[in-house]
Amino acid sequence: MPLSDQKKNPPCKHLLIFILSQLVTAFCLFLYLRPSRDPGPEAWAGNPSSVIVQPGNNSTAPEAGSELTILLWTWPFGQRVALQKCSELFGIRDCHITANRSWYHKANAVIVHHRDVCFSPKKLPQAPRPPSQHWIWFNLESPSHSPNLNFMDNLFNLTMSYRRDSDIFTPYGWLEVLSQPQNFSIPAKSKLVAWAVSNWNPASHRVQYYEELKKYLHVDIYGSHHMSLPRDKHFSILSQYKFYLAFENSLHEDYITEKLWNNALGSGAVPVVCGPPRKNYERFLPSDAFIHIDDFPNAQGLAQYLQELDKDPARYQRYFQWRTWLKPSERSSWTVHFCKACRALQMTETYQTRPGLAKWFR
Ligand SMILES: *[C@@H]1O[C@H](CO)[C@@H](O)[C@H](O)[C@H]1NC(C)=O
Ligand SMILES: *[C@@H]1O[C@H](CO)[C@@H](O)[C@H](O)[C@H]1NC(C)=O
Ligand SMILES: *[C@@H]1O[C@H](CO)[C@@H](O)[C@H](O)[C@H]1NC(C)=O
Ligand SMILES: *[C@@H]1O[C@H](CO)[C@@H](O)[C@H](O)[C@H]1NC(C)=O
Ligand SMILES: *[C@@H]1O[C@H](CO)[C@@H](O)[C@H](O)[C@H]1NC(C)=O
C-alpha cells in the first residue's frame, strides 16, 4: 500500500508545482499590470520612481492581507494631521499609519520629517533599529531651508521628497489626464497681476525682481504686511487676476510648490514663474501653461508682455488650451504623501542606505 502511494505521488507533485508556479506568475503579472489610480506627472514626465518592482520570495513585508505599520516619528511640524485610508485614496491595501512611538519595535518603516529632527541628532530614534525596519527621510522644504543635512547621512534607506529622483516622489502637485476633453471656462477677470508672499525678504531674488517689475506694472500684493488673503477666499480673490506671480523662495531642481499648483493653477490664473529653469518646469507642465521670467531679458520685458496679453484675449486664452485634456490635481496633503509611502513599501522591500544625503539634496 505505502509503495503504490509513493508511486502515485510524483505526478501529483508536478501538478501541484505547476499550479503554484502559475499562481505566482499570475500574481506577479497582476502587480505589474495593475493600473495606478494616481496618474502623477510620472505618466508623461518619464519619472523613474514609478518603476514597479516585483516582490521577492522572502519578503520582509507581511503576507498579503496583513498590514504594514508605518510609524510617523513626529507629526509634521509637530501638528497632528487627519489621516485617510490608503485604500480609499489609492485603491491599495491599507497600512497602519500611527504616530504612537510604542509601535517603534514593530514598525516596518519609520517616516522621519527632517524639520522636526534636524536641530539635534538626539531627536532621531535612539533605540536599536529592528533589522528589517526602513527609515524614510521625508522633507518638502528646499535645501536652502533644510539645515543640518549632514546629520542624516548613512541613516536612511529611502528618501521621500518633491525631487523626482526620490525613492518616494511626493510633489506639491501634478496633472491628471481627463477621460473626456473639457471646455475649460476661464474665471471672470477684472484685475491684472497678484502675488501672495508671507516671507518678505528684501535681499531675496524674488523681492528684487518685483521691485524692478513694479516700475512698469502694478502688482497687488497679499500676505502678512500686505492685503489679507483668508484661506477660504483664496480662490474667489486670486481667480479675478489674469496672472499670478508664482515666485519660489529659493531656486532648486524640482522645487515647484503650492504657489504654482494652488495659488496660480488652482485659481485659474496664468502662472508667471520664478524658480528652476524653464526646462525643469516642462517636466511638470506643458510649455504653454506658464510664463517664465527667464523668457525675458529683464522685468521691463516681462511687464510689456503681460500688458500685450491683457489687450489680446485670444492670445491670453492660449494659456488655457492645455486644460482641454489635463487638470491640476486636488490640493495635495500629508495623508496623500503617507499613502504614497505605504504604496512604495508594499511594492518592494529591498532598499539600500542613502550614504550621501547631504550631497544629493541640494
Ligand atoms: C529565494 O530567496 C533565497 C534567499 O534570499 C534565495 O537564495 C533563493 O534563490 C530565492 N529563490 C527563488 C526561487 O527566487
Ligand atoms: C527569510 O528571512 C528570515 C529573516 O530575515 C530568515 O531567517 C529566513 O531564513 C529567510 N528564509 C528564506 C527561505 O530565505
Ligand atoms: C500607543 O500604543 C500602545 C500599544 O498599542 C497603547 O497601549 C497606547 O495606549 C497607545 N497610546 C496612545 C496615546 O494612543
Ligand atoms: C537601512 O539603513 C541602515 C543604515 O545604514 C542599515 O544599517 C540597514 O541595514 C538598512 N536596512 C535595510 C532594510 O536595508
Ligand atoms: C466646446 O465648445 C465649443 C464651442 O462652444 C463646442 O463646439 C464644442 O462642442 C465644445 N466641446 C466640448 C467637449 O464640450
Side-chain angles (χ1 to χ4, degrees), residues 57-60 131-132:
N57 71 350
N58 188 21
S59 170
T60 49
S132 64

Side-chain angles (χ1 to χ4, degrees), residues 98 100-103:
T98 176
N100 179 344
R101 288 187 184 178
S102 318
W103 283 89

Side-chain angles (χ1 to χ4, degrees), residues 7-131:
K7 274 188 177 168
K8 271 185 211 152
N9 239 344
C12 256
K13 230 184 202 164
H14 283 143
L15 187 64
L16 191 70
I17 289 170
F18 173 76
I19 290 170
L20 271 175
S21 71
Q22 291 297 302
L23 280 173
V24 168
T25 311
F27 180 66
C28 291
L29 258 174
F30 164 74
L31 285 179
Y32 185 75
L33 297 175
R34 184 173 45 162
S36 164
R37 290 233 189 144
D38 168 32
E42 296 97 313
W44 54 281
N47 167 48
S49 75
S50 68
V51 172
I52 296 171
V53 183
Q54 296 178 14
N57 71 350
N58 188 21
S59 170
T60 49
E63 309 292 325
S66 77
E67 281 182 344
L68 290 174
T69 293
I70 300 177
L71 172 64
L72 307 175
W73 186 244
T74 62
W75 289 109
F77 301 105
Q79 303 202 340
R80 174 182 284 271
V81 298
L83 296 174
Q84 267 172 282
K85 281 187 173 278
C86 302
S87 54
E88 284 163 17
L89 284 171
F90 289 136
I92 57 173
R93 199 161 16 107
D94 276 313
C95 287
H96 169 223
I97 302 176
T98 176
N100 179 344
R101 288 187 184 178
S102 318
W103 283 89
Y104 177 74
H105 294 283
K106 286 190 187 156
N108 301 84
V110 181
I111 294 182
V112 177
H113 184 238
H114 183 78
R115 176 51 70 121
D116 299 317
V117 298
C118 67
F119 294 108
S120 161
K122 292 212 179 79
K123 298 206 163 213
L124 290 164
Q126 301 292 308
R129 182 186 322 201

Side-chain angles (χ1 to χ4, degrees), residues 221-276:
I221 303 193
Y222 294 88
S224 43
H225 310 303
H226 298 96
M227 287 187 278
S228 88
L229 183 64
R231 213 166 226 280
D232 57 332
K233 297 229 170 71
H234 242 227
F235 179 81
S236 61
I237 293 176
L238 296 181
S239 64
Q240 301 168 31
Y241 290 87
K242 286 195 174 165
F243 303 100
Y244 181 84
L245 303 184
F247 285 9
E248 301 300 347
N249 63 22
S250 48
L251 313 187
H252 298 276
E253 188 179 350
D254 297 338
Y255 186 61
I256 298 173
T257 69
E258 79 291 341
K259 298 169 179 69
L260 173 96
W261 293 107
N262 303 332
N263 296 6
L265 298 178
S267 318
V270 172
V272 176
V273 303
C274 164

Side-chain angles (χ1 to χ4, degrees), residues 148-192:
N148 300 335
L149 285 163
N150 55 326
F151 287 2
M152 309 297 161
D153 280 350
N154 297 307
L155 279 179
F156 288 91
N157 309 98
L158 292 99
T159 54
M160 174 163 163
S161 84
Y162 62 80
R163 276 269 299 257
R164 273 179 297 125
D165 56 353
S166 304
D167 300 304
I168 302 165
F169 176 46
T170 50
Y172 281 81
W174 57 90
L175 295 181
E176 290 170 358
V177 181
L178 299 168
S179 51
Q180 295 274 319
Q182 68 164 352
N183 269 344
F184 181 77
S185 50
I186 303 174
K189 303 290 179 187
S190 53
K191 297 171 178 176
L192 197 57

